[in-house]
Every structure is written in C-alpha cells, then in structure tokens.
Amino acid sequence: MSNIAQPAANGPIVPSTATAERHPAGLPVLFFTEMWERFSYYGMRALLVLYLVNAVGYKREDALEIYAIYTGLVYLTPILGGYLADRYLGLRKAILIGGFTMMLGHFAMAVPALLNVALGLLIVGNGFFKPNISTLLGTLYRPHDPRRDGGFTIFYMGINLGAFFSPLIAGTLGEKVGWHWGFMSAGVGMAIGILVFTRGQHMLGGAGFKSDQTRLTGRDWAHILALSVSAIPLVFLVMIAWRWISGWWSPLPLLVKLAIGAGLCAAAVLTPRLFSERKSDVEPLTREDWHAMLVIVIVAVFVIMFWMGFEQAGGTMNLFADKQTERMLFGWEMPTSYFQSINPLAIVALAPIMAAMWTRLDRSRYAISDPAKQGGGMIVLGLGFVVMAIAQERADLIGRVGPQWLACVYLLHTLGELMLSPIGLSFVTKLAPARLAAMMMGLWFTSNAIANYFAGVLEAMLAGSGIPLYWFLVATSMGGGVALLLITPLLNRLAHGRG
C-alpha cells in the first residue's frame, strides 16, 4: 500500500509529502468496524418500538418512552467512556470493551425475559465504543489537515452502509421470521465488527494507546475481557437501584427530571476535570482551550434541536410507516423497518459527493465554517418536516398515504444530516484540547442523549396543547438553524482558527 500514508511507529499517522492527498491507512479499518457496529445498532433500533407495540403489547406512549430512555442513555454514557479512555484505558481498549459488551447485549435481546438487561448492556457498551472510535479517527489526521472533513464523511458512509443493510436483514428476520432472529443478527454484526478491528490493528500503528506500544498485549486482552464481563453485574446493580429510586422519580414533573439530568451531566463532565487539575503534571488549560470548548458546548445546544427532530425516525415516523403508510406492493406487504434503509442508502450515494465538495470548498476562498454548515443542515431538516406535517394531515383525513411521502422526508433529512453530523464529529476533534478529546466527544454525544430523550417524549409533551408535532419540529429546526447562522461569526472568533 505504498500509495497510502503509513502509520508512524507510535502516535498519529503523519502523511509524507508524496502521499499528502491520500487518506490514512487506518481509515478503512475504522470504516468497516463502524459499519458493522452500526449494523447491529440500527438493526435493533428498527425493531425496538415495533417489537414493544406489536409483540410485547406496550401502549404507544409507553413504547416511545422506553425508546426515549434507551436512546437517550445510549448517548449519555459516552461522557464516562470518553473520560475513562482519556485517563486510563486508551482509545483502542475502550473500543473493544464497548464492542464486546454490546455484542452480549444484542444476544440478550433474543431472550424476552432479559429485555432490561440487554438494553443496559447496550447502553454501557455504546459509552465505551461511540466517542472513542470517532476520536481515534481524528488522531490519524494532522492539525488543520484539509482532508479531515472528507475523511469523516467517508467514515460516515461506513455508519450508513451498516444502517442500510440492518433493517433489510434484521428487520426482515424480526418481522417475518421471529423477533429473536432479528436481534440475534444484530449480535452477529457486532461480532464481525470486533473481528475487523482486531485484525486491522497493524494499520493503526501506535494511535490510540496510552503507552509506547503498537499492538495489544495479553494483559490488555485480559483487561478488555474482564471489564466487558463485569458490565453484566453492573447492569443488575443499576436495575436493583432503579427499583428503589423509581418510587420518588416517576412522579416528578418532566422539567424537574430534566433539571436533575442536566445537573448530573454537568457533574459527569466537570468532576473528572477538577480531579485532573490536582495532578501536578497536568498543564492548565489555556484561554484558547476554554474558548474552543465553549464553542463546542454552544453548537451542541443547537445540535439538540436537530437530533430531537431527526430521531423521530425510530419512533413516531416508524409508527407512521407501520399504521398510516400503504405498504402493499403487488400483493406483498413490505416490512415497516424497510423505510429505515432509505436514509442510509441516500447517505452512501451522496456522501462521496459531499466529501469532495467540502474538501474543494475548504481549500478555496469560498470555505464555509463548520457552524455554518451545521446551521444549513438544520434548515434542510426543517424542510423535511414541512413535508412530514402535510403527510400527517393527509393521513388523518383519508387514512393511509403513499410511501413516497416518507421517502421524500427521509431524503431531505439525509441532506441535512450530511451537512451536520459528520461535520460535527470532525468539528469536535479540531477544537477539543488533545488530552480531553475523548471526553469532549462524550460531551458532544450528550447533546444526542438529551435530543433522543426529547424525541421520544415530545409527542406526549405536546398532547393537549393544540400544537401539531411535526409543525413544532419545523419551527425548532429552521429557527435553530437560522439562529446558528447568525452567531457563526462570533463562534469563529472564539475558535481562534482551530475550526
């Protein structure tokens, strides 16, 4: 592979002059690892609400609340996983711990009695995996590397290639053969992802290690397996504690719950920082570091509005496809989960074009800053909800509507996602101080946690208000996008050229 930049003996890949235009050798390894992990996640996500409503017998609002709690916690645990990787484990060990734990969770989903245990294992495993694989990719690029946004967009193709196949395979098995077969296929996908990452270690050089090494040792593997298995008793302990806590938690008003949750999030982020400051060998953060982290936090608040709308795909829009969309094709009823494949298919098709466009623009005088790209993505998402709101009104009036309505919504949402999500991952790796990179990525995913929770409970929150769900999302998406565009010049000044 002489035409691709090779890993240094230890640390990030530094391309030579002759290969400066090529992406790092480790990119394909992370691409396929993430592809299989996302196959497992989106296969389970496509089935969860349908399984709870159609197989277990949950009411719509209860199923959406479980979806909200699960998807919210999935994006909250990366704060802790990122911190542990930064301070103790290193990125590679954390990724493998997360992968093994999620594999156990997917297989546990095949046993109905283990539903809560399975969801707990998936939440814990994602906390170790999600922030650290994105951060590991960022270490493969040099500072201010013009290939970075393009590399993250290619990486995003891996996410969506897995997300495309998972509803077709896991969805078909789950809806047509048996729910447990769909969940088991997600576990097999995660196992393949672990194998790909393990077999591709030599392509990463010394990136992602805490010490001066270039491969995993026997001791590392012992730590990985021990910590992965220890997640099982941890989940049981949390379940026991929840039985005690839920007595006073459940009656609390939603706003009080959100305030407590925000306080716990802040404590999770700030407490490790306070302890690390007591170490005499840790350099204090500079003013520029604090400004850069402030920019990440501000943009993350806007990103909440994006994902609050986008994640309706697995909840209300999934139920709209199941109950209010015509799915009969030539006498064959298409599985509801197939609609979940439209978005990733469009991303796989459009991501190379977007990657090339961002690379070309970022090298020209017409370069667009990352916050501006993300603001534009929010506006495009809002246009998708205009279509969705009209489709909902037609369905309420005439019954089932044609599948072209959802297809149009998913295509518009895909364009918005490509403008926001891969750019956001790259954005964090550019701005975050190096020693806090994984933890800041965890903080970034906290915005997804809050958004995913709102995505599940928003319909219930708006019930009785007279405000239609999808028109509300038009206002939050487009209004938030315009506001982010307006403050972009200020954010660019605070970032001091890092972004």
Side-chain angles (χ1 to χ4, degrees):
M1 302 183 70
S2 58
N3 61 339
I4 299 178
Q6 299 299 316
N10 184 40
I13 294 172
V14 181
S16 66
T17 303
T19 61
E21 299 305 311
R22 302 287 183 177
H23 284 286
L27 177 59
V29 176
L30 302 186
F31 176 99
F32 286 108
T33 302
E34 181 75 350
M35 182 192 78
W36 283 109
E37 187 274 331
R38 291 291 90 180
F39 173 93
S40 69
Y41 175 80
Y42 283 103
M44 186 271 189
R45 174 180 175 268
L47 292 174
L48 180 58
V49 171
L50 300 176
Y51 170 70
L52 294 174
V53 171
N54 297 330
V56 184
Y58 276 74
K59 294 180 181 179
R60 176 188 175 101
E61 59 269 25
D62 293 333
L64 289 174
E65 184 175 12
I66 289 176
Y67 174 80
I69 294 170
Y70 165 67
T71 54
L73 290 176
V74 153
Y75 284 101
L76 182 60
T77 50
I79 294 179
L80 180 60
Y83 169 70
L84 291 175
D86 278 334
R87 295 290 294 170
Y88 304 110
L89 298 171
L91 301 175
R92 290 210 211 177
K93 288 171 67 174
I95 289 167
L96 286 167
I97 291 166
F100 278 113
T101 305
M102 285 190 288
M103 182 182 70
L104 295 173
H106 286 301
F107 285 134
M109 282 293 297
V111 182
L114 296 179
L115 173 64
N116 291 333
V117 176
L119 293 177
L121 290 171
L122 292 171
I123 289 165
V124 172
N126 189 80
F128 283 101
F129 188 97
K130 189 66 177 174
N132 296 311
I133 194 165
S134 300
T135 304
L136 181 58
L137 177 59
T139 68
L140 302 183
Y141 291 92
R142 64 184 182 271
H144 307 293
D145 194 324
R147 304 168 302 162
R148 183 185 293 259
D149 281 359
F152 269 88
T153 303
I154 293 170
F155 177 72
Y156 210 67
M157 285 178 63
I159 293 175
N160 288 279
L161 195 60
F164 167 69
F165 285 112
S166 58
L168 302 181
I169 297 173
T172 300
L173 290 171
E175 292 187 62
K176 298 295 186 181
V177 181
W179 296 103
H180 60 285
W181 289 106
F183 294 129
M184 285 183 68
S185 69
V188 172
M190 190 65 254
I192 297 173
I194 294 170
L195 181 63
V196 168
F197 188 71
T198 303
R199 298 282 294 176
Q201 290 292 296
H202 65 285
M203 304 294 288
L204 299 170
F209 284 117
K210 290 296 291 181
S211 58
D212 185 14
Q213 62 185 96
T214 58
R215 65 181 181 86
L216 293 163
T217 65
R219 185 176 181 181
D220 290 331
W221 280 109
H223 290 164
I224 290 166
L225 295 176
L227 289 171
S228 299
V229 173
S230 68
I232 298 174
L234 173 64
V235 169
F236 275 104
L237 287 173
V238 172
M239 290 171 59
I240 293 170
W242 176 247
R243 292 193 186 100
W244 175 74
I245 294 172
S246 60
W248 60 267
W249 173 266
S250 297
L252 292 176
L254 178 61
L255 290 178
V256 175
K257 292 179 181 178
L258 291 173
I260 294 173
L264 291 174
C265 290
V269 174
L270 294 177
T271 301
R273 181 66 221 154
L274 292 174
F275 278 109
S276 67
E277 286 294 345
R278 295 177 184 176
K279 303 287 186 180
S280 58
D281 59 341
V282 175
E283 260 185 59
L285 294 173
T286 65
R287 182 179 180 183
E288 289 74 19
D289 288 336
W290 284 108
H291 283 175
M293 290 194 294
L294 176 62
V295 172
I296 292 174
V297 171
I298 292 172
V299 177
V301 172
F302 285 93
V303 168
I304 291 173
M305 289 182 269
F306 179 90
W307 292 115
M308 179 178 67
F310 187 89
E311 287 299 327
Q312 298 298 321
T316 60
M317 289 169 61
N318 207 10
L319 292 172
F320 182 89
D322 186 42
K323 308 296 184 186
Q324 295 182 285
T325 300
E326 180 57 59
R327 294 184 284 113
M328 294 299 298
L329 299 174
F330 307 106
W332 172 73
E333 187 177 40
M334 180 178 68
T336 302
S337 56
Y338 279 24
F339 283 97
Q340 301 291 307
S341 289
I342 297 174
N343 166 257
L345 176 62
I347 284 182
V348 170
L350 295 174
I353 299 171
M354 296 291 284
M357 182 185 73
W358 294 139
T359 300
R360 182 178 292 272
L361 282 174
D362 289 346
R363 289 172 173 167
S364 72
R365 61 192 180 95
Y366 301 107
I368 302 172
S369 69
D370 288 352
K373 293 173 186 174
Q374 293 173 88
M378 294 181 66
I379 292 172
V380 175
L381 181 83
L383 294 175
F385 278 118
V386 171
V387 178
M388 189 67 219
I390 296 171
Q392 182 66 69
E393 290 174 354
R394 285 180 58 83
D396 291 341
L397 186 64
I398 65 174
R400 291 179 180 264
V401 298
Q404 70 274 9
W405 288 93
L406 272 178
C408 181
V409 174
Y410 279 125
L411 287 172
L412 285 168
H413 285 189
T414 298
L415 287 173
E417 183 184 6
L418 280 171
M419 295 175 70
L420 181 136
S421 190
I423 302 304
L425 296 175
S426 176
F427 175 71
V428 175
T429 65
K430 292 176 190 175
L431 266 66
R435 69 177 182 274
L436 297 178
M439 194 176 79
M440 290 307 297
M441 187 65 73
L443 175 62
W444 180 257
F445 285 123
T446 302
S447 66
N448 294 67
I450 297 169
N452 273 269
Y453 182 76
F454 272 120
V457 302
L458 188 59
E459 184 178 76
M461 289 175 61
L462 294 175
S465 68
I467 303 174
L469 171 67
Y470 296 123
W471 285 116
F472 177 82
L473 291 169
V474 169
T476 56
S477 301
M478 299 186 77
V482 170
L484 182 54
L485 289 174
L486 290 174
I487 67 169
T488 289
L490 172 62
L491 298 178
N492 291 339
R493 288 196 294 273
L494 286 172
H496 294 284
R498 289 190 185 186

